[in-house]
Each structure stands twice: as structure tokens, then as C-alpha cells.
């Protein structure tokens, strides 16, 4: 059996990712900032007959919370095969301008979307190293593509999010560097854009479905030993190849 930790998994794409990994035979540590919300999510999965799952309280912005989650999972002796850094915040709606967005908003968004990912990844890296096929999936956004944001022909060119988009661009760079540092190991480290999906995150304005979005994340979690690493997967940005420009 393989074991996965998903942050921000009590609802939406994270929750559906947990469901799909369970259907693939994984044991899932369902990470949630609120333990109560995590317990409710786990209860729903149990009601569906998916029982190899338990809640883990983890606030990726809180070093003590991340350390406690690492200790709790480590004490179980199961190890960890997959880490899915899914927790993220938008910092508000569109437009989110470079001129007027408060610095406090930038700091809040980066604290979750960038520093939270770094903190969580570093905390669990030792458990992942013990796995024969470790996988790290960083859930990003097409809005984090610097190349496409500069391309007037891109379908989302007019959607500019100064804090959110730049945080995902920073996350993408972290993914590249991490994959490079782990290039001679069994790790596969990739960024995945789930696509413009109808969720609470965007007031259900996206055309994509949550199951399809989660399937993209799961695909990266299930990469074979000869699979790619250090890639930016996006069926939305690049439907022909599935590989987005950075």
C-alpha cells in the first residue's frame, strides 16, 4: 500500500483528489487546517465505503502545525510516498492590480502558496526519501505562467492577479529547483495546473469540473519510474501536449 498526504483536502479539488487516490488503493492522510472540517470530510468518504483515510490537522503557514503533522504521521511508521501541496489562497478576486494590491495581501498569499509549500515539503522530505517511488505534486495555476501572461494571444491574457499569479510563478520556480536537486533520485517533482475549475475558490465561475481537475493531480501522483520530473502540466494551457510554458 502507498501513503499520500494532501494539504487543503477537506473540500473541492483536494477532497476529490483524496477520493480518487483512495479508489486507486492509497491510504490517504487528509490534511486540513481545521481538524473538525477534516473529520467531516473523512466521515463523508467513510460513508462512501472509502475507509483507508484519516484526518491530519495541518496549517501550512504555521511551523508548529506542520511539525506536529510530520510527527503524527511519522509515528505511525507507514512512511509517505506522495505529497500533494494543494492548500492555496487567492488573495481576493479579479482585478488584483500591481498598483493597488496591498503588500499585506502579497504577504498573506505568499505565506500559503509559496512559503507554506516550502515549509511542508522540507518537513516531510525525510519520510518521502524512504519511499521507493516518491512523488511531490505542487498544485499551481495557469496564471503562474510568466510566458503566457506576457502573450497577448493567450486566452487568459486579460486576467492579471498580481499577488496570486506571482505566487504561483514563484511556486513554479521552486518546483523546478527542487526537481533539479532531486534529479538523481527516484523522486518525481512536478507542478500541476488543475485548470479553470468551478470551485468556491472562484465563486464557481470556471467551466472545468472538480473530478477532471483532481484527475490531473492524481495523474502526476501516479507517475511511473520512467515518468517526467520538473514539468509544468496543464491541459488547459496546452491541450495538445499537456505541458505548459513556464
Amino acid at each position: 500500500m502507498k501513503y499520500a498526504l494532501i494539504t487543503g483536502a477537506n473540500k473541492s479539488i483536494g477532497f476529490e483528489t483524496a477520493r480518487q487516490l483512495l479508489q486507486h488503493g492509497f491510504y490517504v492522510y487528509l490534511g486540513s487546517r481545521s481538524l473538525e472540517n477534516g473529520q467531516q470530510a473523512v466521515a463523508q468518504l467513510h460513508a462512501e465505503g472509502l475507509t483507508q483515510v484519516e484526518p491530519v490537522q495541518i496549517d501550512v503557514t504555521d511551523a508548529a502545525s506542520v511539525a506536529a503533522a510530520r510527527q503524527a504521521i511519522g509515528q505511525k511508521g507507514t512512511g509517505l510516498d506522495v505529497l500533494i501541496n494543494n492548500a492555496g489562497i487567492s488573495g481576493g478576486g479579479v482585478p488584483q492590480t500591481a498598483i493597488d494590491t496591498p503588500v499585506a495581501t502579497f504577504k498573506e498569499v505568499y505565506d500559503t502558496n509559496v512559503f507554506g509549500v516550502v515549509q511542508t515539503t522540507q518537513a516531510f522530505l525525510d519520510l518521502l526519501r524512504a519511499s521507493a517511488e516518491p512523488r511531490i505534486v505542487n498544485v499551481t495555476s495557469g496564471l503562474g505562467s510568466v510566458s503566457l501572461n506576457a502573450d497577448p494571444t493567450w486566452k487568459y491574457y486579460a486576467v492579471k492577479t498580481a499577488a496570486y499569479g506571482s505566487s504561483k510563478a514563484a511556486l513554479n520556480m521552486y518546483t523546478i529547483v527542487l526537481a533539479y536537486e532531486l534529479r538523481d533520485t527516484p523522486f518525481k517533482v512536478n507542478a500541476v495546473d488543475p485548470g479553470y475549475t468551478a470551485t468556491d475558490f472562484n465563486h464557481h465561475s470556471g467551466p472545468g469540473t472538480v473530478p477532471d481537475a483532481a484527475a490531473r493531480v492524481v495523474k502526476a501522483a501516479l507517475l511511473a519510474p520512467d515518468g517526467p520530473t520538473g514539468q509544468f502540466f496543464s491541459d488547459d494551457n496546452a491541450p495538445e501536449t499537456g505541458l505548459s510554458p513556464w
Side-chain angles (χ1 to χ4, degrees):
M1 181 180 292
K2 289 189 174 183
Y3 294 81
L5 167 64
I6 310 168
T7 64
N10 59 284
K11 65 177 183 178
S12 193
I13 295 172
F15 179 74
E16 178 62 23
T17 299
R19 177 188 280 128
Q20 292 186 21
L21 281 180
L22 287 164
Q23 291 169 343
H24 279 280
F26 273 72
Y27 190 98
V28 174
Y29 294 112
L30 188 149
S32 175
R33 186 170 55 181
S34 160
L35 181 58
E36 181 181 0
N37 289 344
Q39 290 169 333
Q40 292 173 355
V42 166
Q44 181 177 337
L45 292 169
H46 283 180
E48 297 173 15
L50 300 169
T51 59
Q52 296 178 161
V53 55
E54 64 180 279
V56 173
Q57 193 279 326
I58 180 168
D59 179 346
V60 301
T61 69
D62 184 335
S65 174
V66 173
R70 162 61 185 85
Q71 182 178 20
I73 292 176
Q75 287 177 341
K76 295 180 182 297
T78 61
L80 193 66
D81 301 283
V82 174
L83 171 62
I84 298 177
N85 289 305
N86 171 72
I89 63 172
S90 68
V94 177
Q96 191 182 79
T97 68
I99 294 172
D100 296 320
T101 301
V103 170
T105 299
F106 278 85
K107 289 181 176 180
E108 181 183 20
V109 171
Y110 272 65
D111 202 20
T112 297
N113 296 1
V114 183
F115 309 139
V117 171
V118 175
Q119 183 162 248
T120 302
T121 300
Q122 292 179 348
F124 285 93
L125 201 57
D126 63 329
L127 289 182
L128 290 163
R129 285 186 187 276
S131 170
E133 297 182 346
R135 305 289 180 262
I136 297 175
V137 183
N138 293 330
V139 179
T140 186
S141 167
L143 297 178
S145 169
V146 175
S147 297
L148 293 177
N149 267 287
D151 181 359
T153 68
W154 185 41
K155 60 183 175 180
Y156 299 128
Y157 178 70
V159 183
K160 297 292 189 251
T161 53
Y164 177 74
S166 65
S167 77
K168 291 301 187 179
L171 173 63
N172 290 349
M173 177 58 81
Y174 179 69
T175 303
I176 291 171
V177 175
L178 183 62
Y180 174 79
E181 292 179 5
L182 295 170
R183 65 194 182 283
D184 296 325
T185 74
F187 275 85
K188 304 297 179 186
V189 182
N190 293 289
V192 175
D193 167 26
Y196 187 16
T197 306
T199 66
D200 292 345
F201 199 82
N202 54 38
H203 307 291
H204 295 267
S205 62
T209 70
V210 168
D212 285 348
R216 296 179 178 121
V217 177
V218 169
K219 183 178 179 180
L222 299 179
L223 285 174
D226 61 349
T229 190
Q231 299 296 323
F232 180 1
F233 297 119
S234 177
D235 292 341
D236 196 358
N237 285 348
E240 301 84 5
T241 65
L243 293 176
S244 175
W246 293 100

